[in-house]
Amino acid sequence: MPKQIVLLGPPGAGKGTQAKILSKKLGIPHVSSGDIFRENLREKTPLGILAEGYINCGELVPDDVTVSMIQERLSRPDCEAGVLLDGFPRTAPQADALDRMLRKKNKGQVNAAPCIVVPNDVLIERLTGRRSCQNGHVFHIVFNPPKVEGICDVDGSELYQREDDTVETVSRRIRVYLEQTSPLIDYYRQQDVLIEIDGNQPIDMVAEAVYAAIAEL
Ligand code: AP5
């Protein structure tokens, strides 16, 4: 099975939801750049303070900051067996940097890039109804509700709405995705590792489709 995986797709496509399922199935860590930024933001580290302004207005954190953060994460022992990246790379320079990192670690190149495709109106509905807990577990008030309203099923903590999940910021994030991240679809297509997945179906069906497509590569 491919073990250097990049999960692509617009904000709200379900990357985080699928990455959690897939990382368990494949036995590789789920590394989410957004989760790492939010963890730093909660702990008020210099990285979190720097990233906050960009995140809350729906813009990308500068490449140099993001690349060194991911480089540090990928250098940890749990990434030796492979990694499932969610939210990184998001720009051409980030994709180049990832290629260099993998080469340096003798890991070859990205060997699967599933791209979850969902129409824009569905993305807005998903993101404005999303509720998350501090530990990264994600729900939706309609499509994936917690058993008890406002409480995380997994760890019992309180659920909150992300500041960047307002209609206005979501629209900006989608625009930023189209301008800066969607060119990576062709980048990975040219490397023969792109898999397009219909993300507009129930979570378990998307999960099956992603797993089957990766296994086939
Ligand atoms: P990040 O956290 O990466 O946000 P994103 O890419 O915008 O993705 P989301 O987390 O919003 O959505 P998702 O695709 O993971 O969907 P989810 O599974 O949660 O980034 C946030 C910010 O950090 C960026 O804007 C930027 O500022 C900064 N940043 C991060 N990485 C960066 C980088 N590399 N470079 C620079 N800046 C960076 O699902 C969404 C909702 O839908 C949930 O409620 C879920 O329950 C529901 N759902 C999921 N699947 C389904 C389904 N099949 N059917 C129905 N509902 C579903």
Side-chain angles (χ1 to χ4, degrees):
M1 284 292 261
K3 292 281 171 91
Q4 311 294 340
I5 303 173
V6 163
L7 209 44
L8 295 168
K15 302 182 295 299
T17 302
Q18 294 303 326
K20 286 183 186 74
I21 301 171
L22 201 57
S23 78
K24 271 195 201 130
K25 270 189 157 175
L26 296 175
I28 53 175
H30 166 205
V31 171
S32 155
S33 45
D35 284 351
I36 303 176
F37 281 133
R38 280 184 291 279
E39 206 178 296
N40 277 275
L41 214 147
R42 270 196 303 279
E43 289 168 6
K44 299 202 182 337
T45 67
L47 174 64
I49 292 164
L50 186 150
E52 184 172 21
Y54 295 98
I55 294 175
N56 288 349
C57 73
E59 297 292 337
L60 296 184
V61 179
D63 284 338
D64 55 340
V65 176
T66 308
V67 166
S68 35
M69 176 182 87
I70 292 294
Q71 198 161 14
E72 189 283 321
R73 179 64 188 86
L74 294 190
S75 69
R76 295 192 204 167
D78 64 333
C79 292
E80 274 308 304
V83 68
L84 175 52
L85 284 161
D86 156 19
F88 182 92
R90 249 177 160 98
T91 63
Q94 290 183 16
D96 285 343
L98 176 61
D99 287 348
R100 283 197 300 276
M101 283 180 230
L102 293 177
R103 270 200 303 272
K104 209 169 153 196
K105 282 160 60 81
N106 290 324
K107 299 289 179 197
Q109 58 173 58
V110 170
N111 44 25
C115 178
I116 306 178
V117 182
V118 175
N120 279 3
D121 55 331
V122 178
L123 296 176
I124 292 175
E125 205 182 351
R126 284 190 186 176
L127 290 178
T128 52
R130 171 166 60 187
R131 299 293 180 269
S132 316
C133 86
Q134 299 253 320
N135 301 316
H137 304 119
V138 173
F139 300 87
H140 189 281
I141 51 173
V142 178
F143 305 132
N144 183 24
K147 291 189 184 92
V148 179
E149 195 186 327
I151 303 292
C152 175
D153 288 356
V154 185
D155 57 31
S157 63
E158 211 175 313
L159 298 178
Y160 73 100
Q161 183 167 23
R162 273 172 46 177
E163 270 202 42
D164 58 345
D165 278 350
T166 60
V167 176
E168 194 195 9
T169 310
V170 165
S171 307
R172 183 165 313 137
R173 285 161 60 199
I174 293 173
R175 180 177 50 72
V176 167
Y177 171 80
L178 291 173
E179 288 171 5
Q180 300 190 52
T181 309
S182 67
L184 297 186
I185 295 173
D186 269 343
Y187 182 78
Y188 289 115
R189 185 178 284 123
Q190 278 160 19
Q191 297 180 17
D192 283 333
V193 292
L194 185 84
I195 312 158
E196 286 187 274
I197 305 287
D198 175 10
N200 196 15
Q201 46 180 341
I203 292 171
D204 53 345
M205 287 177 70
V206 179
E208 273 173 35
V210 174
Y211 186 79
I214 289 179
E216 212 173 284
L217 261 183

